[in-house]
Amino acid sequence: MTFNPLEQRGIPLDRQLRSWRELNVEPIDPDAADPYTRCRIIAMNGIETEAIFFGHHLARNCDDVQVKQQLARTRYIEAQQQKAVNWLLPGVSSVLETTIAYEQVAVDLTAWVARMEPDPYLKQAYEFGVLEDFDHLYRYANLYEMIEHRKAESIVDGLTEVMPGRPTPLHHRNPVDNVREPYDRTSVNPLSKLHALTIMAAEQQTMNFYMNTGPTYMEPIARQLYQEIGLIEEEHVTHYESLVDPGETWWEQLVNHEYNECYLYYSFMEQESDPKVKAIWELHLNMELEHLRVACDLMRRHDGREPEEVLAPALPNVLTFEPNKAYLRELLETQMDLTTLGTGYVREAHERFEQMQERLHEGEAPPSDRVMAQHQEMFGRDYREETEGPHPVDPQR
Ligand SMILES: [Fe+2]
Ligand SMILES: [Fe+2]
Ligand SMILES: [Fe+2]
Ligand SMILES: [Fe+2]
């Protein structure tokens, strides 16, 4: 069945406002829930957060009060959606447990997008990035066992493997080398635009999360590890946001944002196993259809163009949370030693990379290595969850 959001009728905007009672959602049970339900919640929170911030940036660049009022109306609904979605997360989970789930989202969302991405340059960008979040998952899982005395397998539940990726200390590149070439908005497959927006939003919320939660720790190693990985998420946001063609008009970008929200709520509604959460995805889809209609009107009015010119004729295959173990192992075998130079990729460390490394590390082990050394000292081993056999390339396996 093909689903065309441009042909569907949603809930009128003046009927989208929810009361406190309606916003008071019941959180999922972290022990009973499907880990991918939690992943979908985190991914949608990132999408709604991006919708809110993009809406604010647009409003700050808009000098028509009536248009600003229209944007404010929709944005208030996005803000309510964000509350309903993120408040599905249970208060009993620790920050570190949520962190591990964030990295699981980064791994399985980016890996799926990389598998489906039709453009080879964009695909390479996702393949490059996913091996880094894969290693973050491993480092945080070791911190988790060290300070909470629990194992990350209770969170990722065998769906995502936990083992070394591209080593975290090597993620610190000169910022110049984090900027990629954008796709061409006039020729790119519309699916590629949705992929870029989705991964950018996911990485941005991870960056925000580490910025704000990192200093809530007492343990020095935890505080330091969040600083280090928080800075890598800044690099990841730079990497992914630069894939989007900056020549898209504000109104075209707004349409793309709303269309992507329709695509993701539709995708997650199709997959969701938890009926209460599924009802929220369905409700939000019906809200987004109306946001999209409003955005399309704004685009027609301000750009004098039809939204159909920039959008896919129907929704592509649903975006799916599923294990990507074999694909990730293949990437480990072939792309572990890549870094970037300018807007491309190389296998050797280069001068600008080495200078950045020397300045940051000052010849000492960074927090991501010290967490492993401390873990080794406590347990006589590292923590990993290799469900498909030994690590394909790790020399220390
Ligand atoms: Fe939304
Ligand atoms: Fe990460
Ligand atoms: Fe990341
Ligand atoms: Fe929206």
Side-chain angles (χ1 to χ4, degrees):
M1 187 194 92
T2 56
F3 182 81
N4 185 351
L6 296 176
E7 285 171 358
Q8 305 288 322
R9 268 233 142 333
I11 302 171
L13 205 56
D14 55 14
R15 284 178 34 209
Q16 293 194 8
L17 193 70
R18 277 179 276 186
S19 66
W20 301 124
R21 183 184 50 79
E22 290 167 297
L23 283 176
N24 185 19
V25 294
E26 191 186 323
I28 57 166
D29 174 351
D31 298 318
D34 175 352
Y36 284 148
T37 294
R38 183 174 42 217
C39 286
R40 285 185 283 269
I41 292 167
I42 292 169
M44 281 324 300
N45 182 55
I47 295 296
E48 289 298 349
T49 304
E50 166 62 21
I52 295 164
F53 283 117
F54 173 76
H56 281 296
H57 289 308
L58 173 50
R60 289 168 202 176
N61 284 275
C62 175
D63 56 9
D64 181 327
V65 171
Q66 277 182 346
V67 176
K68 270 180 137 88
Q69 288 171 337
Q70 174 69 63
L71 292 172
R73 286 178 76 203
T74 314
R75 194 170 61 245
Y76 192 85
I77 302 300
E78 307 284 12
Q80 284 205 333
Q81 290 177 318
Q82 184 274 331
K83 303 296 171 289
V85 170
N86 209 26
W87 266 245
L88 288 169
L89 292 181
V92 291
S93 296
S94 69
V95 167
L96 195 41
E97 285 165 337
T98 306
T99 295
I100 288 166
Y102 267 55
E103 294 293 352
Q104 184 179 28
V105 169
V107 168
D108 280 325
L109 191 64
T110 314
W112 191 89
V113 162
R115 281 166 50 209
M116 302 301 152
E117 175 55 53
D119 179 284
Y121 182 79
L122 298 171
K123 187 185 183 76
Q124 175 64 77
Y126 302 121
E127 290 183 338
F128 179 79
V130 73
L131 287 187
E132 303 199 340
D133 291 310
F134 191 70
D135 199 69
H136 298 167
L137 177 61
Y138 168 64
R139 310 270 165 164
Y140 279 130
N142 278 269
L143 179 68
Y144 183 51
E145 189 173 37
M146 246 171 71
I147 69 178
E148 295 195 28
H149 308 284
R150 297 188 64 189
K151 292 185 194 303
E153 62 227 44
S154 65
I155 303 167
V156 299
D157 203 22
L159 298 169
T160 312
E161 293 190 278
V162 181
M163 58 185 177
R166 179 176 307 120
T168 294
L170 303 181
H171 303 175
H172 306 291
R173 294 171 285 274
N174 186 299
V176 165
D177 295 315
N178 289 322
V179 178
R180 308 274 77 78
E181 300 279 357
Y183 61 69
D184 177 349
R185 68 187 186 284
T186 60
S187 58
V188 75
N189 185 319
L191 175 63
S192 300
K193 297 186 196 176
L194 306 181
H195 285 165
L197 214 44
T198 300
I199 303 299
M200 179 190 82
E203 293 291 328
Q204 177 175 261
Q205 79 153 344
T206 307
M207 175 183 79
N208 289 334
F209 188 67
Y210 299 164
M211 279 179 180
N212 291 306
T213 58
T216 62
Y217 281 94
M218 298 286 285
E219 296 85 353
I221 187 66
R223 298 175 68 86
Q224 292 162 20
L225 186 64
Y226 274 83
Q227 270 195 346
E228 183 182 359
I229 298 184
L231 277 166
I232 297 162
E233 303 305 348
E234 156 63 26
E235 297 190 76
H236 287 177
V237 177
T238 304
H239 173 78
Y240 292 121
E241 77 188 359
S242 57
L243 299 174
V244 178
D245 187 340
E248 293 172 357
T249 68
W250 280 104
W251 308 109
E252 184 175 352
Q253 288 182 60
L254 179 64
V255 165
N256 286 339
H257 275 77
E258 299 294 4
Y259 190 91
N260 196 39
E261 287 186 278
C262 293
Y263 171 49
L264 294 176
Y265 279 128
Y266 178 77
S267 296
F268 292 170
M269 182 184 82
E270 293 283 292
Q271 291 155 50
E272 188 56 64
S273 52
D274 180 326
K276 283 186 196 152
V277 177
K278 187 188 176 96
I280 291 182
W281 303 150
E282 188 176 3
L283 173 65
H284 286 194
L285 169 62
N286 284 306
M287 293 176 164
E288 298 301 348
L289 291 169
E290 179 70 359
H291 298 180
L292 177 63
R293 194 191 60 74
V294 171
C296 286
D297 281 350
L298 286 165
M299 184 177 166
R300 281 190 203 97
R301 181 142 43 102
H302 294 276
D303 284 354
R305 282 190 301 162
E306 284 302 315
E308 283 84 353
E309 290 173 31
V310 300
L311 294 173
L315 287 183
N317 276 347
V318 294
L319 184 144
T320 310
F321 270 103
E322 64 184 11
N324 296 279
K325 295 175 183 180
Y327 184 68
L328 286 160
R329 283 174 170 264
E330 193 188 305
L331 294 181
L332 287 168
E333 278 177 89
T334 52
Q335 304 201 20
M336 189 99 137
D337 54 352
L338 283 190
T339 189
T340 56
L341 176 61
T343 57
Y345 303 86
V346 292
R347 289 199 187 268
E348 306 83 40
H350 51 85
E351 201 182 335
R352 207 154 57 197
F353 176 80
E354 298 288 9
Q355 279 171 354
M356 183 75 184
Q357 289 275 312
E358 277 164 32
R359 186 78 183 83
L360 272 178
H361 302 323
E362 293 183 312
E364 286 175 19
S368 55
D369 273 351
R370 275 186 279 122
V371 72
M372 299 311 302
Q374 288 182 26
H375 188 284
Q376 184 75 30
E377 212 172 288
M378 271 178 83
F379 296 90
R381 55 162 175 82
D382 62 349
Y383 172 81
R384 41 178 91 188
E385 158 96 317
E386 296 167 330
T387 63
E388 312 298 293
H391 193 289
V393 281
D394 182 22
Q396 40 172 335
R397 76 182 178 215

